[in-house]
Amino acid sequence: MTIAVIGAGAAGLMAAGAAAEAGAHVLLFDKNAKVGRKIMITGKGRCNVTNNCDVQTVLANVPVNPRFLYSALGGCSPADVMDFFENEGVPLKTERGNRVFPVSDKALDIVDALFFYVKRLGVKFEFEHTVEKILTGEDGAVCGVQADGKTYEADRVIVATGGASYPATGSTGDGYTFAKALGHTVVSPRPSLVPLVARGDVCQKLMGLSLKNVQVTVYEGQKAVYEDFGEMLFTHFGVSGPLILSASAHMRHFGSKEYRIDIDLKPALDEKTLDKRLLSDFEKHKNSDFINALGELLPRKLIPVVVERSGIDPRVKVHSVTKAQRQALVRLLKAFPVEITGARPIAEAIVTTGGVSVRDVNPKTMASKRTPGLYFAGEVLDVDAYTGGFNLQIAWATGRLAGKSAAEEEQK
């Protein structure tokens, strides 16, 4: 039994290893000269391996087609993933939000563990090979792949090419092309976990300003749909940073819905306590201009923008600021609004939402329902999750199930 795996990312490496463990001869194709290019840049180069939680919590963090993942996660839970890497010699640690990282904080340790795992099992690497076509026989079943003009025979083919995000890592949407060519439905891919574009020039004025320990609330129309705490960045086009990438996954209806984020610049203080703090600062600077009284409270770059939005004359003396004006300022500091008009291009997204329709794939095996011998794993599928290690967990679980099923199904 020969299995061709297309894509040496998280899902592809796990699929190749699982297939080899089950006794198959595995060919692993990748455009790059090394495995795990995208794994290397996840979690700011630290690699958020999974989330230290139960399967139900994983499913609760999958907004698109969670039920499709029951079998995959049943056979490869977060605990299983953690055991796998620990057994491969990578000590792990759990941080805020149950996010799991290597103790070393190096994504390279995860990539190396996977590389040596599949190498030990005899997987044959076909690096710097671009697969152009999945080949099928007269019976419609797969019989191999064509890469760089050369034919490679295979009894099974696993597509683990990733989505269309971060094309520099090799995920350029090839899997969608393969799937469509063989009659599968592909849900139009869109960016998820992506920087956001804002209306107006406020973000341009604040470009380069990084805010730590702020809270963001996402509004879809008038309804709050998400809230989180962390770090963000203002850019020339809008907003970015870990907090914003997480928030973006909850904005799925641009074009039909209006979105806004409210930034709580002082989440540790309620309105009453923040008002006391302002009174204290104002007392210190009572004879100063208003614009010069906020230096102890806000980053310097933020002050003129907050002053402008407050509607208070920047040159009015602090002792002349009314109680109503001060209370309006408190409300602004607790909910600094940024109107969001859309997401940045898919090439800048961490993950893709959309992909091969799960209706065309057997959830118990990851096998195609349309093409015998064809399997799918990872981000190429129309399944994606919020941040926190959940997307990699999906890749490990679907990869392991696809590899195991591909190697074992014909032997039954």
Side-chain angles (χ1 to χ4, degrees):
M1 159 85 72
T2 298
I3 296 175
V5 179
I6 311 172
L13 286 162
M14 196 60 90
E21 277 181 348
H25 172 59
V26 181
L27 303 175
L28 180 58
F29 292 84
D30 201 275
K31 294 176 182 177
N32 298 303
K34 295 180 179 178
V35 302
R37 280 286 301 276
K38 194 171 174 184
I39 299 172
M40 289 291 291
I41 60 175
T42 61
K44 291 186 176 178
R46 297 171 62 216
C47 188
N48 184 182
V49 181
T50 185
N51 194 283
N52 190 356
C53 65
D54 59 21
V55 167
Q56 288 304 318
T57 303
V58 176
L59 294 170
N61 280 276
V62 179
V64 179
N65 299 317
R67 291 179 64 186
F68 175 78
L69 296 170
Y70 273 108
S71 293
L73 291 168
C76 182
S77 68
D80 295 327
V81 169
M82 293 170 71
D83 285 346
F84 170 82
F85 283 107
E86 294 265 3
N87 290 335
E88 289 296 323
V90 184
L92 302 174
K93 60 181 176 180
T94 301
E95 296 188 0
R96 186 179 70 85
N98 291 325
R99 291 168 164 85
V100 178
F101 294 90
V103 170
S104 64
D105 284 330
K106 292 178 181 175
L108 179 61
D109 288 352
I110 296 298
V111 174
D112 281 349
L114 288 163
F115 174 72
F116 289 115
Y117 161 64
V118 296
K119 188 177 181 182
R120 187 173 71 241
L121 289 165
V123 170
K124 187 171 186 289
F125 299 104
E126 300 290 350
F127 289 141
E128 296 181 275
H129 280 61
T130 300
V131 175
E132 298 137 348
K133 190 177 181 182
I134 295 172
L135 305 174
T136 55
E138 290 182 7
D139 60 355
V142 300
C143 61
V145 300
Q146 179 183 303
D148 298 331
K150 183 180 174 184
T151 297
Y152 296 80
E153 292 183 2
D155 305 290
R156 299 279 184 267
V157 174
I158 300 172
V159 177
T161 50
S165 57
Y166 285 140
T169 65
S171 54
T172 50
D174 296 354
Y176 309 142
T177 305
F178 299 146
K180 283 179 182 176
L182 293 171
H184 298 75
T185 299
V186 174
V187 178
S188 295
R190 292 179 291 108
S192 184
L193 307 186
V194 65
L196 297 170
V197 180
R199 179 173 284 121
D201 62 355
V202 166
C203 294
Q204 284 181 329
K205 290 177 181 177
L206 296 172
M207 183 172 65
L209 175 64
S210 177
L211 297 177
K212 294 182 178 179
N213 304 322
V214 294
Q215 184 168 299
V216 159
T217 304
V218 175
Y219 286 90
E220 185 177 272
Q222 298 303 310
K223 182 185 176 186
V225 294
Y226 179 70
E227 187 176 275
D228 200 8
F229 174 87
E231 185 178 338
M232 62 169 288
L233 173 73
F234 290 98
T235 71
H236 66 283
F237 56 77
V239 284
S240 188
L243 195 49
I244 297 303
L245 298 180
S246 297
S248 72
H250 300 261
M251 302 180 185
R252 295 176 176 266
H253 307 291
F254 287 119
S256 61
K257 302 279 188 181
E258 296 283 327
Y259 288 98
R260 181 184 90 243
I261 62 169
D262 281 358
I263 306 165
D264 185 344
L265 297 164
K266 296 292 171 184
L269 306 177
D270 60 22
E271 286 196 11
K272 190 174 178 182
T273 309
L274 180 56
D275 190 40
K276 284 182 182 175
R277 167 70 194 272
L278 271 177
L279 279 170
S280 173
D281 285 5
F282 281 9
E283 182 59 31
K284 286 185 201 172
H285 302 280
K286 60 185 176 185
N287 295 316
S288 303
D289 291 350
F290 172 58
I291 196 165
N292 296 324
L294 300 173
E296 294 174 40
L297 191 68
L298 297 172
R300 188 175 63 190
K301 201 165 193 173
L302 191 55
I303 292 171
V305 175
V306 166
V307 169
E308 182 184 351
R309 284 201 162 185
S310 75
I312 302 170
D313 181 348
R315 294 301 166 195
V316 73
K317 296 301 178 188
V318 170
H319 60 73
S320 297
V321 174
T322 67
K323 181 180 180 182
Q325 287 176 318
R326 193 182 73 245
Q327 289 177 335
L329 176 61
V330 167
R331 289 193 293 274
L332 176 63
L333 296 175
K334 293 294 288 179
F336 184 89
V338 178
E339 289 185 48
I340 303 299
T341 59
R344 289 291 285 176
I346 201 164
E348 296 178 32
I350 292 178
V351 298
T352 309
T353 185
V356 177
S357 172
V358 298
R359 292 181 181 180
D360 290 348
V361 182
N362 183 337
K364 294 182 178 178
T365 60
M366 297 294 129
S368 164
K369 292 179 181 178
R370 294 182 177 270
T371 305
L374 182 64
Y375 296 76
F376 295 97
E379 198 185 334
V380 71
L381 291 160
D382 183 24
V383 183
D384 67 282
Y386 302 136
T387 53
F390 300 109
N391 285 292
L392 269 179
Q393 175 62 40
I394 292 171
W396 309 131
T398 56
R400 180 158 284 280
L401 180 56
K404 189 170 183 288
S405 302
E408 293 177 353
E409 280 206 300
E410 190 174 77
Q411 296 164 14
K412 289 177 182 175

